[in-house]
Amino acid sequence: MLRVLKRIALLLFALVVVMAAAFYVLYFRRTPLPAVAPHARAVPVISRIPGISACWVETAKTFSTFSFGSTAGSVVVRHPAGDLLIDTGNSSHFDQEISAYPFATRLKLKSLAGQLKPRVPLPDLLRGIGEDPAKLRWAILSHAHLDHAGGLMDLPHLPVLLTREELQFAADPKVQAKGYVIAAHTQEFPPVSSPTLRFEPAPYETFDESADLYRDGSVVVVPLRGHTPGSVGIFVNLSPTRRLFYVGDAVDDESGFQERFGKSLILQDSDDDTALANQVVGRLSQLHEKAPELAIIPAHGRSAYKKFFLGGPLTCVSGQ
């Protein structure tokens, strides 16, 4: 009997070792990408705008006590000309929305995006920082994946800023069949024929195109094509020295731009164009070297949020 118990214990130990190794390979093992060609930097002139601030609204988190902890949710930009919501996290109806997918697809979605389901609907969290969801001016999505667009289902209808490329991508039945974009979410998007975000050939930082949302330099959007065809990054300039750059899923976490790491193995399939996505990683790494004071915030990189929003979730930072 003792011998049998020892064998069982050894088998269990071996199983734990194998699972730990698989977890490491799938989620953490990444190799540095090649450097991209140097790109000139168009340094912006930033003015202080009274009344502007940025707030972190976290809808979900995992492994929050560890440096590799993940997060989902929104950044709210308060502006005298109307407030902006950057990304929305998952829908509170996540399980119902993926229920029609085949088992394998449901399992994948639950294992990845499903780990960041909201326990409290986004509107309630917004009210927690004194934000009336009905008075938001816009929402802008870093991209159309379900864990960035789903929260729109819980909000009053509002204008959503998306490029033509991203609208076409989101409307593609093949993309929706993979589960990365939910058909119901696209009903909250503008029509494919009427994109609400367009770039101008105006260099900004290390990017050749940009869109100045408020026309005052406070919120500037740039293309980050690769993860999806219309992925964007959003600069929020609270003051000349207090700036954040929200980069969506262009990188998994801070190590992506600090060490020029691409996606982990388990997430590589989520990049629509791997070559373009890897170039964006290189561009972000280059920008980080040129402007180390700029807070680059990956959508799911909880440690980056905590460094900028020192008070944690549901707190705001102003330019004063």
Side-chain angles (χ1 to χ4, degrees):
M1 183 64 179
L2 183 60
R3 183 176 297 176
V4 172
L5 290 174
K6 285 183 177 179
R7 287 181 179 177
I8 292 173
L10 285 172
L11 286 172
L12 289 174
F13 177 75
L15 180 62
V16 169
V17 171
V18 169
M19 291 178 63
F23 186 74
Y24 171 78
V25 170
L26 289 172
Y27 286 92
F28 295 112
R29 188 175 180 273
R30 293 176 287 175
T31 54
L33 298 169
V36 297
H39 193 288
R41 183 185 177 201
V43 182
V45 176
I46 309 296
S47 301
R48 291 184 184 273
I49 298 173
I52 188 172
S53 63
C55 309
W56 175 19
V57 180
E58 183 176 58
T59 56
K61 60 184 178 181
T62 60
F63 300 106
S64 58
T65 58
F66 298 92
S67 61
F68 56 83
S70 188
T71 185
S74 305
V75 172
V76 175
V77 180
R78 287 179 167 154
H79 193 285
D83 295 352
L84 172 71
L85 185 67
I86 301 175
D87 275 353
T88 66
N90 271 319
S91 166
S92 63
H93 312 287
F94 179 88
D95 289 329
Q96 301 96 299
E97 290 172 350
I98 68 168
S99 62
Y101 284 100
F103 173 77
T105 303
R106 288 203 316 275
L107 180 62
K108 183 175 183 178
L109 293 175
K110 284 187 175 183
S111 300
L112 298 174
Q115 298 301 308
L116 292 168
K117 293 185 297 184
R119 294 184 179 180
V120 178
L122 179 57
D124 293 340
L125 293 171
L126 290 171
R127 294 184 189 99
I129 59 167
E131 187 73 34
D132 182 349
K135 293 184 178 179
L136 288 166
R137 176 175 177 178
W138 292 315
I140 186 170
L141 303 181
S142 62
H143 60 293
H145 281 174
L146 75 168
D147 55 329
H148 297 260
L152 291 172
M153 306 302 289
D154 298 317
L155 292 168
H157 184 73
L158 76 160
V160 181
L161 304 182
L162 287 166
T163 64
R164 185 183 301 276
E165 298 100 317
E166 195 68 2
L167 290 169
Q168 291 172 336
F169 168 79
D172 187 339
K174 294 179 181 178
V175 172
Q176 294 181 11
K178 292 182 178 180
Y180 288 129
V181 174
I182 304 295
H185 296 176
T186 66
Q187 300 305 306
E188 298 297 320
F189 298 172
V192 174
S193 59
S194 303
T196 45
L197 180 63
R198 298 175 178 85
F199 294 111
E200 300 174 355
Y204 190 88
E205 291 290 0
T206 55
F207 302 92
D208 298 322
E209 301 172 274
S210 64
D212 186 343
L213 292 191
Y214 291 97
R215 300 294 176 182
D216 60 7
S218 60
V219 179
V220 179
V221 186
V222 296
L224 296 179
R225 304 178 183 100
H227 181 59
T228 64
S231 284
V232 300
I234 302 104
F235 288 89
V236 179
N237 302 310
L238 303 176
S239 77
T241 58
R242 188 169 290 177
R243 307 172 63 211
L244 70 85
F245 183 27
Y246 184 90
V247 298
D249 285 356
V251 289
D252 292 345
D253 50 35
E254 288 180 291
S255 65
F257 61 82
Q258 291 172 344
E259 303 178 52
R260 212 165 56 243
F261 284 156
K263 293 285 189 301
S264 59
L265 184 61
I266 193 69
L267 293 173
Q268 285 179 5
D269 180 63
S270 70
D271 281 342
D272 180 69
D273 186 321
T274 302
L276 273 179
N278 288 344
Q279 288 179 25
V280 167
V281 174
R283 183 68 63 83
L284 294 180
S285 178
Q286 192 176 97
L287 178 60
H288 175 60
E289 292 176 359
K290 292 184 176 183
E293 72 286 354
L294 175 66
I296 298 178
I297 301 184
H300 300 300
R302 198 168 194 270
S303 62
Y305 284 87
K306 289 168 67 178
K307 290 175 183 176
F308 190 83
F309 297 95
L310 297 179
L314 299 182
T315 62
C316 303
V317 175
S318 73
Q320 304 305 312

